[in-house]
Amino acid sequence: MKNRARNPRSRPGRRSGAPRRDPLIGVEVDVKIADIGARGDGLAETTAIGGKSVLVYVDGVLPGDEVRVKLRQKRGDGYGAEVVAVQKRPKDHAAAKCSHYDQCGGCSLQHLPDEDYRIWKRHRAVQAVMRAGISDAGAAENMVAALETSPPASRRRADFSVICTQDGVFVGFTERFSHHIVNVSDCAVLLPAIVDFRNQCQAFLESLPRETVAIIRNVVVNASDNGLDVMIGATHEPNLDLRQGLAELADHVDLARLAWKVGDHAAEPVAQRRTPEVRFADVPVFVPSGGFLQATKQGETALTNAIASALSRIPARQVIDLFCGIGSFTFPLALTGDRRRVMAVEGDIAAVRAMQYAVGRASAPIEVVHRDLFRQPLDAEALKDADVVVFDPPRAGALAQCEILANFGPEWILAVSCNPATFARDMRLLRNGGYELQQVVPVDQFLWSPHLEMFAVLRRTLPAAA
């Protein structure tokens, strides 16, 4: 018997060949939408082969809708599906606010009537509180404050994907349930100045040779207080002609700054008319290229006010602000109301340098610390003098830091989260360590999307570990 050559990258015991096709893919079924899921799509059930009930996720529907759908792909414990025909619609859908709504994956909930949308968004916060261990639905409901919502056309940050194909240049967002890019020539959530720049940027890119545009991967736009700050992400450095063209574009659109970034290297300014800055507690802070800002000014104000309201009831002199960014909460913590000493901790070195410069100019009682809190969370020694800890991590949450806070944290914690799932996990950790979750404020900076910001107040009821 001949020895067969084995692919060293294949798994032993697994047969080669095409994967078996799921027999339900492509099947059409009639379903009634029961609810709206966490990702903004309708939830229904159908019967699989063998009589087992499976979930169906349907885009662009409301509870009560009866529709015929075609199952298109396996998705977790169910199937994604597209509507083939509407059989019954007991409630009118809201009119789309954007011409790209049927394609763009940015907003999945524009079809919800306004009041239904607000109820659904706030209910996401209630569900997160219950997943944090508050099993009493009434208690969770009473704990969550009214929803703070940013208005349309207020988003001040956008990350546009760029791709060049035979059909042209596409500058926009990914299509729903796809990797295709949609040209978003209008947008109901972005600031008009950002949309106008996107359109002029696309026209500029269309004037370039295809091989030049092919090196560009994305365009990040931040609206600072003194103009748009643009950072282009690319695979290679721009040539001289492209540099000249970009400088002319920046001059024509009156950008504060236009920078170019290759891979993980630092961004290099190509054109700069002003240094982009934002103000926190009336302190000007320079914004690093592509730096993080709260999605809307209104959302930032709502979160800052929630923190200030909580601190008005807490006698705090020493505050630690974790994942502080460029100081959207740090400066109000230190300079408004009762003056407090603040230790601000951030892992992004560009943000740390911007903070340090602003602190020096303002002579603020703030110590800025560069530290990767995912790899090196603050320990018991670093936390021992704090009266309050404030944290606002990325979507991944603050798991490592919360594990230490649960044992050694101060009496009060003020937590901000942009992900209800990791919020629930982190709050459960803190509650298990002896903290009581007292109040939650839901803040909607991501209008018509499933995303939700949440602010929470926690107080220690059991002593910290020795």
Side-chain angles (χ1 to χ4, degrees):
M1 182 176 177
K2 293 183 178 179
N3 292 323
R4 294 184 180 179
R6 180 180 294 275
N7 183 343
R9 299 170 66 183
S10 67
R11 294 183 182 179
R14 176 172 291 185
R15 291 184 178 179
S16 60
R20 183 178 299 175
R21 185 180 184 278
D22 190 320
L24 285 182
I25 300 297
V27 171
E28 293 187 8
V29 293
D30 296 328
V31 296
K32 183 175 181 178
I33 306 304
D35 202 355
I36 302 294
R39 291 172 59 176
D41 37 23
L43 302 181
E45 288 189 353
T46 190
T47 303
I49 296 171
K52 183 181 177 181
S53 180
V54 296
L55 279 173
V56 178
Y57 301 92
V58 187
D59 193 37
V61 292
L62 295 179
D65 286 358
E66 297 179 21
V67 292
R68 186 167 186 80
V69 300
K70 184 176 183 179
L71 305 185
R72 59 188 175 190
Q73 82 244 353
K74 194 78 174 70
R75 183 176 143 189
D77 54 354
Y79 292 83
E82 60 183 349
V83 175
V84 175
V86 176
Q87 298 163 334
K88 186 177 180 182
R89 183 169 282 172
K91 188 171 187 177
D92 289 339
H93 289 207
K97 285 78 175 173
C98 171
S99 64
H100 307 289
Y101 173 62
D102 290 338
Q103 292 179 290
C104 179
C107 303
S108 59
L109 293 163
Q110 288 187 12
H111 64 289
L112 262 68
D114 289 346
E115 186 60 26
D116 291 0
Y117 169 77
R118 291 179 63 84
I119 291 172
W120 180 84
K121 208 75 180 260
R122 182 179 176 276
H123 186 60
R124 285 215 71 198
V126 175
Q127 289 176 316
V129 168
M130 294 183 70
R131 287 196 297 272
I134 310 294
S135 57
D136 185 333
E141 181 75 31
N142 292 333
M143 190 179 296
V144 178
L147 180 71
E148 300 273 358
T149 303
S150 297
S154 63
R155 189 87 61 82
R156 62 178 174 177
R157 176 179 171 84
D159 188 346
F160 298 109
S161 296
V162 178
I163 191 168
C164 182
T165 72
Q166 292 181 345
D167 297 324
V169 176
F170 294 81
V171 181
F173 303 127
T174 52
E175 187 175 313
R176 205 167 298 171
F177 306 113
S178 167
H179 296 296
H180 298 150
I181 305 301
V182 179
N183 269 329
V184 285
S185 55
D186 64 281
C187 180
V189 297
L190 289 175
L191 287 169
I194 294 180
V195 178
D196 181 61
F197 168 75
R198 190 226 74 91
N199 294 338
Q200 297 200 50
C201 180
Q202 182 183 8
F204 167 73
L205 295 179
E206 287 175 340
S207 71
L208 301 175
R210 182 174 300 173
E211 61 272 17
T212 300
V213 183
I215 68 173
I216 298 175
R217 291 292 175 262
N218 69 316
V219 177
V220 178
V221 187
N222 272 331
S224 70
D225 291 349
N226 58 344
L228 296 185
D229 181 24
V230 176
M231 184 184 75
I232 298 176
T235 59
H236 296 80
E237 296 289 347
N239 58 33
L240 290 177
D241 289 340
L242 181 54
R243 285 179 181 274
Q244 180 63 35
L246 290 169
E248 292 173 358
L249 173 67
D251 183 65
H252 174 69
V253 185
D254 190 28
L255 298 179
R257 177 176 61 197
L258 191 155
W260 187 276
K261 188 176 189 300
V262 178
D264 294 330
H265 297 287
E268 174 198 356
V270 175
Q272 182 165 321
R273 300 166 66 84
R274 301 171 292 280
T275 300
E277 66 178 31
V278 291
R279 286 181 172 266
F280 305 126
D282 209 32
V283 174
V285 183
F286 296 151
V287 182
S289 290
F292 172 79
L293 296 175
Q294 293 292 337
T296 68
K297 276 193 173 183
Q298 294 86 347
E300 180 179 279
T301 299
L303 290 168
T304 302
N305 288 345
I307 291 172
S309 176
L311 284 174
S312 69
R313 308 187 298 272
I314 300 172
R317 288 291 175 266
Q318 183 69 42
V319 180
I320 298 178
D321 184 11
L322 304 176
F323 307 96
C324 67
I326 59 172
S328 54
F329 304 141
T330 311
F331 290 97
L333 282 168
L335 301 176
T336 59
D338 296 333
R339 286 179 70 91
R340 310 171 185 90
R341 291 203 59 81
V342 179
M343 181 170 76
V345 187
E346 172 57 44
D348 180 6
I349 188 60
V352 167
R353 289 168 178 162
M355 279 272 290
Q356 288 172 333
Y357 185 72
V359 166
R361 288 202 300 175
S363 298
I366 298 170
E367 176 190 3
V368 185
V369 177
H370 179 224
R371 187 174 181 132
D372 184 342
L373 291 167
F374 293 107
R375 297 182 178 182
Q376 288 184 295
L378 292 193
D379 57 17
E381 179 64 22
L383 294 167
K384 66 182 177 64
D385 294 328
D387 301 310
V388 180
V389 164
V390 179
F391 67 78
D392 181 15
R395 288 185 59 78
L399 177 60
Q401 187 64 73
C402 283
E403 288 175 338
I404 295 177
L405 286 170
N407 290 318
F408 305 107
E411 180 180 2
W412 295 92
I413 293 177
L414 307 181
V416 180
S417 172
C418 60
N419 184 346
T422 54
F423 170 88
R425 180 202 65 200
D426 291 348
M427 294 306 102
R428 182 181 286 273
L429 260 176
L430 294 172
R431 291 185 69 251
N432 290 343
Y435 281 92
E436 176 189 35
L437 185 57
Q438 294 190 339
Q439 180 191 21
V440 173
V441 179
V443 178
D444 185 12
Q445 298 195 74
F446 304 95
L447 195 61
W448 299 311
S449 84
H451 300 300
L452 181 66
E453 206 99 6
M454 298 173 68
F455 167 76
V457 179
L458 301 102
R459 186 177 190 180
R460 184 176 284 285
T461 56
L462 297 177

